[in-house]
């Protein structure tokens, strides 16, 4: 309705709640969840905490879907049917997942290049950035992807993060190349 305008969540909630009441005569119970769902499905872009933007071109990008079965199989095969972080595979009893390197909610696409194989443990742990080893490996893979995509801004961001790991001697055993 308002393309390319950054709108605060509270303003959207007020507008949606009033329109819903006007059209249905009922109270909209959880507009925040609805906004979050639109964001997670790729229809809204998150600009900052509580600020979203609708960009019709971004919303029409249906490649932000989950990986297809064929893509999952290709990613698993490419990664040797092993977790890219710890090396565990099915032969070790690990449950394997195919995960987005650059998350969908950050614009990551369902492409072979943006996929990685993770064991279930690391798939769940990688969401917790307190796991410094997982975090460093994730930024290394994101950096490599940004080089392939020729995304200079993302490359610079990853270099700064990885340099911080080095500056504080965190996980020095994990090496990366600029």
């Amino acid at each position: 309705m308002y393309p390319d305008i950054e709108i605060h969540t509270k303003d959207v909630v007020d507008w949606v709640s009033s329109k819903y009441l006007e059209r249905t005569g009922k109270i909209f119970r959880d507009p925040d969840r609805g906004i979050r769902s639109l964001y997670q499905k790729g229809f809204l872009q998150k600009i900052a905490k509580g600020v979203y933007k609708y960009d019709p071109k971004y919303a029409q990008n249906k490649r932000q879907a989950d990986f297809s079965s064929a893509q999952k199989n290709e990613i698993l095969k490419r990664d040797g049917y092993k977790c890219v972080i710890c090396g565990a595979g099915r032969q070790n009893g690990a449950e394997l997942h195919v995960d987005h390197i650059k998350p969908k909610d950050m614009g990551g696409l369902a492409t072979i290049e943006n996929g990685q194989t993770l064991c279930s443990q690391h798939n769940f742990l990688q969401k917790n950035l307190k796991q410094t080893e997982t975090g460093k490996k994730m930024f290394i893979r994101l950096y490599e992807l940004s080089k392939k995509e020729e995304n200079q801004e993302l490359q610079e961001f990853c270099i700064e993060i990885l340099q911080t790991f080095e500056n504080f001697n965190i996980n020095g055993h994990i090496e990366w190349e600029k």
Side-chain angles (χ1 to χ4, degrees):
M1 180 163 219
Y2 297 99
D4 298 318
I5 296 173
E6 296 176 11
I7 303 174
H8 287 269
T9 304
K10 63 181 181 55
D11 298 326
V12 175
V13 168
D14 292 345
W15 183 82
V16 169
S17 297
S18 67
K19 287 294 180 186
Y20 189 80
L21 180 62
E22 179 184 305
R23 292 179 184 176
T24 67
K26 298 176 183 176
I27 296 173
F28 192 47
R29 294 288 176 202
D30 196 355
D32 289 316
R33 180 177 288 172
I35 293 167
R36 192 169 44 254
S37 175
L38 288 171
Y39 162 64
Q40 290 169 339
K41 291 176 182 173
F43 291 102
L44 295 176
Q45 289 177 295
K46 189 172 191 174
I47 304 304
K49 185 176 182 179
V51 180
Y52 295 88
K53 179 173 85 171
Y54 170 69
D55 176 349
K57 292 176 190 162
Y58 178 82
Q60 291 174 1
N61 185 357
K62 298 303 179 198
R63 292 179 64 203
Q64 288 184 278
D66 292 326
F67 295 108
S68 68
S69 294
Q71 287 174 311
K72 287 180 182 180
N73 288 333
E74 190 170 335
I75 292 165
L76 287 164
K77 183 178 179 181
R78 180 202 62 208
D79 294 341
Y81 299 93
K82 294 179 182 177
C83 175
V84 298
I85 294 173
C86 68
R90 290 184 182 138
Q91 74 279 8
N92 308 95
E95 179 183 341
L96 298 178
H97 298 240
V98 174
D99 181 62
H100 287 78
I101 297 168
K102 182 178 181 182
K104 289 190 295 185
D105 61 4
M106 291 178 60
L109 302 177
T111 62
I112 303 299
E113 298 77 25
N114 191 40
Q116 64 182 344
T117 303
L118 296 177
C119 65
S120 58
Q121 180 182 10
H122 281 110
N123 188 32
F124 299 123
L125 288 177
Q126 60 121 355
K127 293 169 183 26
N128 179 353
L129 292 181
K130 290 180 184 172
Q131 303 296 322
T132 58
E133 185 170 282
T134 301
K136 186 171 183 181
K137 288 183 179 183
M138 177 187 72
F139 280 108
I140 290 169
R141 291 187 59 89
L142 185 58
Y143 174 67
E144 295 300 326
L145 179 65
S146 69
K147 287 196 305 188
K148 287 180 185 173
E149 292 179 349
E150 299 180 359
N151 183 335
Q152 189 64 37
E153 184 177 59
L154 186 56
Q155 285 179 50
E156 291 171 7
F157 171 76
C158 290
I159 288 171
E160 191 167 325
I161 297 293
L162 291 166
Q163 190 62 52
T164 301
F165 275 92
E166 290 181 9
N167 292 346
F168 289 92
N169 197 26
I170 298 172
N171 301 117
H173 65 286
I174 302 170
E175 298 180 9
W176 63 286
E177 293 181 15
K178 289 183 187 177

